[in-house]
Amino acid sequence: MTRFFTRPAVWAAALLALATIAIIVYGGAFATRTYLDQAESRGQTTLRLAVAVLRGQMSRYQSLPALVADHYDIKALLADPDNRDLRRKADSYLKEINALLASSDIYVMKPGGDTIAASNHDGPISFVGENFSYRPYYQDAIQGREGRFFALGTTSLKRGYYFSAPVIITGQIKGVVVFKVDIDTIEASWTGDDYEILVSDPEGIIFMTDQADWLYASLLPLTVERLARTEVSRRYANAKLRELPVTQASSDSGHQLMRIATDNGPREYLALAEPMPEAGWTVSVLLDTAPARAQALTSVAAALLLLGLAALAGTILLERRARLRERLEMQRNAQAELERRVEERTADLALVNQQLETEVSERRATEQQLRQTQSDLIQAGKLAALGQMSAALSHELNQPLTAVKTYAENAEILIERNRIAEARDNVSRISSLADRMAAISRHLRNFARKPNEQLGSMTLADIVKDTLEIVASRLKTAGTEVAVDLGPEPLTVKAGQIRLQQVLVNLISNAADAVDGQAERRIELAARRKRGKVTIAVGDNGPGIPEAIMPRIFDPFFTTKGVGKGLGLGLSISYNIIKDFGGDLAVVNKLEGGALFTITLDTASSERREAAE
Ligand code: ADP
């Protein structure tokens, strides 16, 4: 929200305040003026209408007095005022035409002002015998003029308008005829909601109005002269005159306004007036300004409301814009934050990457070092193996050599002593020792195998048959046989014939060694096809392989047999041969006792034949 109070918002608020003041001050005045104008034009119409009605009423009765004055009966009476018959005649005539013309009263006065005939001669209030010489209408008429006068009847105490005319007989004024016209009916038609019609005399005294309070009240200050003038004509008989309680009279942009105290508090009126010179009156219309002011107030309120609505709309618009700005700002910030985070993360990743690279290079170096160490170790192992081999070889060869030397020396001596038979025995011993050394050499040759030899599809049964022939004498010595089980179907394996024979010879020889000394000696050779592979298992019922040496029995030169009995190369060479065939050689101890060596080889495709070994 703080953003809302920005510079434009402050300007807008100032503008709004100015507009509010302008509407209240100028708009209020303008609206008041406009509605007063409207009221005034309505008032003017009312005023014109009122004046027209009054004029019409007056013109209606204006010429009647002269007409009556010219009547024979009237003239006759005035010529002989005391004649009772003539009076009666005149009375009935006046009554008749009064009824006909709907006037209030008609009466005839003789010079001096005494009334001698009247339309109301037989009514409760009769003018007959009354003297009205103080009335201006009498004075005008007796002087030969037509008279007009408004007054409150001194006898009837009824307001009326008086028309008078002289009665002229043979050029002389012999009397006066007066028409009194009732004004109550005119006044009764003036009732309006928001206006008052009043008629005031030249002294400013209101004598016609439907506001009972205002009757005989003066619009002008009641000065002594005015009071005196009114007193002379006894215009208002004994009615009490007073000033109209005007508390304030002002003029506002061409409108005459007056505030009059009423029982319900002061009320303001717009005053319009039109003089009626022919009657000496002023007709006024007083319009209550309350409706016009209320309308003006309503207009101002509506304008303020509109302004308020516009301000509200503006505020909403500004707020929405501010919100939008805020949202955009937030989005920008979020974007910046995101970018910053991405940058941070990128930097982190770069760092991690760098670390990884360092680690990788370190790992590589370590690996390199490891390889180096490994190759060093291998080298060392090789050297150790070579040393071992050399020791074993020298041990294996020195023994027969020493023996050969001893036997040769002995044979020499025996020959010198001519003990030929014994000498021959020695020589034959030399020969058998040479055989043993040749065997050692053969083993070593086999150890230096040729890995480039091609492998072929070999019939397992043939190989087993050849093998058994080779080991026959060894088995015979050991006093045992091999139980062969090659399964129901002929098996072919991918191998080299001679080398596979060599492996089988090794395993069977080891088994024969193992069962040596057992009461019942058993060696088994079983082969089966299993999931595209052929397994050849060679088992015996010897002591088995102690767990402690299990991991080492495939190592070169590892042997548990005594010097001169085993070289410790058999299993090592066999293992390598089987690996060369792409197969596997493993060993387990059987539960019932004895070792079980298992060769796993690929089955050969029938068309392929092994090339020469
Ligand atoms: P050598 O037979 O010359 O000792 P080998 O590599 O063939 O060398 O055998 C290594 C060792 O494995 C043997 O010394 C022997 O301890 C053990 N061995 C091999 N075959 C068997 C077997 N069938 N039963 C018990 N031990 C065996």
Side-chain angles (χ1 to χ4, degrees), residues 139-299:
Q139 289 157 8
D140 285 342
I142 208 70
Q143 285 168 23
R145 298 192 298 272
E146 288 191 340
R148 282 178 190 184
F149 190 62
F150 171 82
L152 176 69
T154 44
T155 312
S156 65
L157 295 177
K158 270 184 78 179
R159 286 172 302 155
Y161 195 75
Y162 299 84
F163 296 92
S164 64
V167 182
I168 301 166
I169 303 169
T170 56
Q172 282 189 349
I173 298 168
K174 291 287 184 193
V176 170
V177 173
V178 182
F179 261 72
K180 183 181 176 187
V181 180
D182 202 351
I183 59 160
D184 288 353
T185 46
I186 303 171
E187 204 179 54
S189 70
W190 285 350
T191 45
D193 282 344
D194 61 342
Y195 62 84
E196 310 293 347
I197 299 173
L198 19 124
V199 182
S200 52
D201 70 10
E203 308 299 346
I205 294 164
I206 301 163
F207 62 86
M208 275 175 86
T209 173
D210 67 333
Q211 276 276 344
D213 298 352
W214 294 359
L215 202 59
Y216 311 125
S218 171
L219 289 167
L220 302 170
L222 277 178
T223 56
V224 181
E225 297 85 52
R226 282 206 180 103
L227 279 173
R229 277 200 293 273
T230 306
E231 192 50 46
V232 168
S233 64
R234 296 194 61 203
R235 194 197 282 271
Y236 303 114
N238 298 322
K240 196 166 164 18
L241 302 180
R242 65 200 179 282
E243 284 181 13
L244 194 69
V246 178
T247 53
Q248 192 188 343
S250 60
S251 167
D252 179 7
S253 55
H255 302 294
Q256 290 297 326
L257 298 174
M258 58 169 67
R259 193 176 287 273
I260 301 170
T262 68
D263 291 343
N264 305 322
R267 287 176 78 173
E268 189 193 49
Y269 293 95
L270 172 67
L272 302 169
E274 189 174 322
M276 278 177 68
E278 69 271 31
W281 298 343
T282 303
V283 182
S284 304
V285 169
L286 296 188
L287 280 147
D288 194 345
T289 57
R293 290 214 184 268
Q295 272 178 312
L297 209 68
T298 309
S299 301

Side-chain angles (χ1 to χ4, degrees), residues 319-331:
E319 181 143 359
R320 281 181 70 176
R321 281 181 60 182
R323 285 261 163 84
L324 195 73
R325 252 203 315 274
E326 264 177 35
R327 209 178 309 143
L328 283 175
E329 181 72 25
M330 266 166 64
Q331 275 176 2

Side-chain angles (χ1 to χ4, degrees), residues 355-423:
Q355 280 173 351
L356 270 177
E357 272 174 15
T358 318
E359 263 176 44
V360 165
S361 61
E362 275 173 9
R363 186 88 35 105
R364 275 207 190 108
T366 313
E367 208 177 278
Q368 186 69 33
Q369 214 172 354
L370 198 69
R371 279 221 187 88
Q372 185 62 45
T373 315
Q374 249 176 2
S375 73
D376 287 355
L377 273 175
I378 288 166
Q379 199 60 35
K382 274 181 186 170
L383 287 173
L386 203 62
Q388 260 184 332
M389 199 170 173
S390 308
L393 268 178
S394 72
H395 185 78
E396 288 292 318
L397 293 175
N398 276 344
Q399 261 193 330
L401 273 176
T402 315
V404 163
K405 189 165 172 53
T406 311
Y407 284 131
E409 284 168 1
N410 282 350
E412 208 173 28
I413 295 164
L414 288 170
I415 289 167
E416 276 174 12
R417 293 181 188 169
N418 208 19
R419 288 159 67 180
I420 299 301
E422 284 170 87

Side-chain angles (χ1 to χ4, degrees), residues 510-511 514 540 544-545 553 558-561 566-571 595 597:
N510 279 344
D540 59 65
I545 298 154
I553 58 164
F558 176 79
T559 179
T560 56
K561 295 165 192 172
L567 290 173
L569 290 170
L571 286 181
F597 285 86

Side-chain angles (χ1 to χ4, degrees), residues 399-469:
Q399 261 193 330
L401 273 176
T402 315
V404 163
K405 189 165 172 53
T406 311
Y407 284 131
E409 284 168 1
N410 282 350
E412 208 173 28
I413 295 164
L414 288 170
I415 289 167
E416 276 174 12
R417 293 181 188 169
N418 208 19
R419 288 159 67 180
I420 299 301
E422 284 170 87
R424 187 174 289 132
D425 181 53
N426 275 12
V427 170
S428 87
R429 279 176 196 266
I430 288 168
S431 171
S432 74
L433 283 169
D435 282 347
R436 178 171 165 74
M437 285 191 283
I440 290 170
S441 150
R442 196 170 60 247
H443 266 299
L444 288 172
R445 198 181 66 235
N446 283 339
F447 194 68
R449 66 192 187 281
K450 296 172 224 162
N452 287 338
E453 275 176 343
Q454 276 195 323
L455 305 179
S457 170
M458 298 298 141
T459 309
L460 188 63
D462 294 346
I463 292 173
V464 170
K465 192 168 149 258
D466 292 350
T467 305
L468 290 176
E469 276 174 18

